[in-house]
Amino acid sequence: VPLMAFPPVKALRLLGIDGVTSVRVVIALVGAAWIALFYYLLRLLGCRRFDAPVFSIISAVRAFSMFWFVVPEPYPFCSLSILLALTLVALGDFRSIAPVWYVIVSALTLSFRITNGMVGLATTFVRFQLRKAMVISVAAFCLFLLLWGVQTIILPGGDFVFSPHTFIWWPTETNRHT
């Protein structure tokens, strides 16, 4: 999330917009992208022109959207990555999509949450045979590690994503997770 959220917020800050407003604008843009991608996914899945905007509007005013798209949390980014993976699978029914896009989407979903990474992994295994899906998944994991390395250079101080410190409270480090 920091690698995705920091650059646009920083760009807005360089334009003279204060920090809180910059974060709000970025979250609003993620929300708008989510609704647009949801509409596109519905159209790909065969929803009629009247049904897709109705369901998109309903999704914009449901509890998830009303709560998570107004606070600076990673969940809007996470949800957008899942929606992107689902859209990639749906789009694959109509067009031939290069395997590199599956690598990118799998790495992107994994970069937000491990559980989201399972969605990216599933999109690969749905579209490709086992051997090719495994190669794409390994490439996605390597891209994920590369992006994590870039993030630690730009924003130092974070733990490795699979570190036990990320998931378990260590009694000797009382101030770390409180």
Side-chain angles (χ1 to χ4, degrees):
V1 173
L3 200 55
M4 293 291 293
F6 180 73
V9 170
K10 183 68 172 176
L12 291 172
R13 295 288 312 268
L14 292 174
L15 293 174
I17 301 172
D18 68 289
V20 173
T21 304
S22 298
V23 170
R24 287 179 180 163
V25 167
V26 169
I27 293 295
L29 290 173
V30 169
W34 192 98
I35 292 168
L37 194 58
F38 187 68
Y39 170 81
Y40 185 61
L41 176 62
L42 290 175
R43 292 294 292 151
L44 284 173
L45 294 175
C47 279
R48 294 178 295 184
R49 287 189 182 187
F50 178 77
D51 295 341
V54 168
F55 287 128
S56 298
I57 291 169
I58 289 170
S59 73
V61 297
R62 65 195 174 112
F64 170 84
S65 302
M66 300 292 282
F67 184 76
W68 290 113
F69 285 145
V70 297
V71 293
E73 283 284 331
Y75 296 112
F77 292 96
C78 297
S79 180
L80 185 63
S81 74
I82 290 175
L83 203 54
L84 185 63
L86 295 174
T87 303
L88 184 68
V89 170
L91 192 58
D93 286 342
F94 302 101
R95 296 188 178 140
S96 176
I97 299 175
V100 69
W101 289 106
Y102 290 91
V103 171
I104 292 168
V105 167
S106 290
L108 183 68
T109 56
L110 180 60
S111 68
F112 290 117
R113 295 266 185 254
I114 293 173
T115 51
N116 287 21
M118 296 299 117
V119 175
L121 192 66
T123 61
T124 304
F125 281 89
V126 164
R127 284 287 169 211
F128 297 98
Q129 292 181 356
L130 181 63
R131 179 168 288 195
K132 191 165 187 175
M134 290 177 69
V135 169
I136 290 170
S137 298
V138 168
F141 188 70
C142 291
L143 178 60
F144 162 77
L145 290 176
L146 176 73
L147 291 173
W148 175 79
V150 169
Q151 177 179 308
T152 57
I153 291 169
I154 296 172
L155 303 165
D159 284 337
F160 181 62
V161 71
F162 298 120
S163 167
H165 295 166
T166 307
F167 302 103
I168 300 170
W169 177 69
W170 296 93
T172 58
E173 301 175 18
T174 55
N175 293 332
R176 185 178 184 118
H177 294 286
T178 56

